[in-house]
Amino acid sequence: SSELTQDPAVSVALGQTVKITCQGDSLRSYYANWYQQKPGQAPVLVLYGKINRPSGIPDRFSGSSSGNTASLTITGAQAEDEADYYCNSRDSSGKHYVFGTGTKVTVL
Amino acid sequence: EVQLVESGGGLVQPGRSLRLSCAASGFTFDDYAMHWVRQAPGKGLEWVSSINWNSYTIAYADSVKGRFTISRDNAKNSLYLQMNSLRPEDKALYYCAKDIGPNLVPTALALDYWGQGTLVTVSS
């Protein structure tokens, strides 16, 4: 089982803001990166190194962290943001990479 | 254009072996670490294994350690995953993914390009 816990599902109205959280003890020591995965597609890196967005990722995606929780915020959610989102970091031992349990985001 | 194309998946009996390959193009392969990530049907992502640019640093998930071997051939721009003693729980779509840097970082995976995956089914 994953050591990074995410809410299974969240919904957001079109144009509104949604925060996706990732909880785990390891996040007190390591930051999280974030991936978006749409049905039938490979994951896409949307945020890394706390604040960096790969080329082509809109600036409505941002990250933050506090204590044992990392967050991905989508400000002004669009229909195309509907997807599964996964955080990634280290496990509590620090020896292995681990993905979060995933959050399905629905844009209403 | 960066391309990662996995191959080698298929149906295999429990206890048997498979070798996955990932052909890379569109970037300087030996400048980057590479990774395997899998996803069981309808489930989340699971990190499997990583290898740095010169094969000096390798890491495995506990679930595959001792059974799977990652390797790369920089001359052939290829990444491999030798999977032995396969179990039904290894059934998944296996993705090859490129790192943004050459080494395995002590923080989180930053994988900027992914292949479309190759499906491994383990069943008798």
Side-chain angles (χ1 to χ4, degrees):
Chain A
S1 62
S2 176
E3 298 184 23
L4 297 178
T5 302
Q6 301 179 236
D7 291 330
V10 297
S11 60
V12 57
L14 185 67
Q16 296 303 301
T17 296
V18 62
K19 179 179 279 192
I20 305 161
T21 60
C22 172
Q23 287 189 304
D25 287 341
S26 63
L27 298 178
R28 297 183 186 278
S29 303
Y30 306 102
Y31 61 75
N33 291 340
W34 291 90
Y35 295 84
Q36 174 194 71
Q37 187 180 32
K38 297 180 179 180
Q41 298 184 19
V44 172
L45 181 66
V46 295
L47 199 75
Y48 68 97
K50 293 187 180 179
I51 60 170
N52 300 298
R53 288 183 304 277
S55 174
I57 301 301
D59 61 5
R60 62 178 178 271
F61 290 90
S62 62
S64 61
S65 66
S66 178
N68 72 336
T69 301
S71 301
L72 175 70
T73 298
I74 309 174
T75 304
Q78 302 299 303
E80 60 264 31
D81 299 333
E82 188 163 289
D84 293 328
Y85 290 83
Y86 295 91
C87 60
N88 169 266
S89 187
R90 288 281 185 169
D91 66 8
S92 56
S93 73
K95 293 181 180 178
H96 302 303
Y97 300 111
V98 64
F99 284 94
T101 51
T103 297
K104 181 177 181 60
V105 172
T106 300
V107 180
L108 304 173
Chain B
E1 178 192 7
V2 172
Q3 283 199 313
L4 298 170
V5 180
E6 303 94 337
S7 61
L11 173 62
V12 63
Q13 292 179 328
R16 304 299 291 265
S17 300
L18 271 181
R19 188 194 196 206
L20 306 185
S21 299
C22 172
S25 61
F27 64 102
T28 304
F29 184 71
D30 55 9
D31 277 351
Y32 297 95
M34 297 294 295
H35 309 264
W36 289 99
V37 176
R38 69 185 181 183
Q39 187 169 34
K43 302 298 184 181
L45 301 173
E46 181 186 11
W47 168 72
V48 174
S49 184
S50 301
I51 187 168
N52 83 321
W53 70 277
N54 64 357
S55 304
Y56 184 77
T57 307
I58 286 173
Y60 298 99
D62 286 343
S63 58
V64 306
K65 193 168 186 177
R67 299 187 299 123
F68 290 11
T69 302
I70 191 172
S71 62
R72 63 189 296 161
D73 185 335
N74 288 343
K76 295 183 178 180
N77 291 343
S78 293
L79 176 72
Y80 306 101
L81 186 68
Q82 177 66 43
M83 305 187 297
N84 298 332
S85 303
L86 281 161
R87 305 168 179 168
E89 57 263 36
D90 295 319
K91 176 181 178 179
L93 186 65
Y94 283 73
Y95 291 105
C96 160
K98 170 190 167 292
D99 203 297
I100 63 170
N103 291 307
L104 305 190
V105 297
T107 50
L109 291 172
L111 310 181
D112 57 353
Y113 288 94
W114 297 60
Q116 286 305 304
T118 186
L119 182 62
V120 172
T121 301
V122 184
S123 174
S124 53

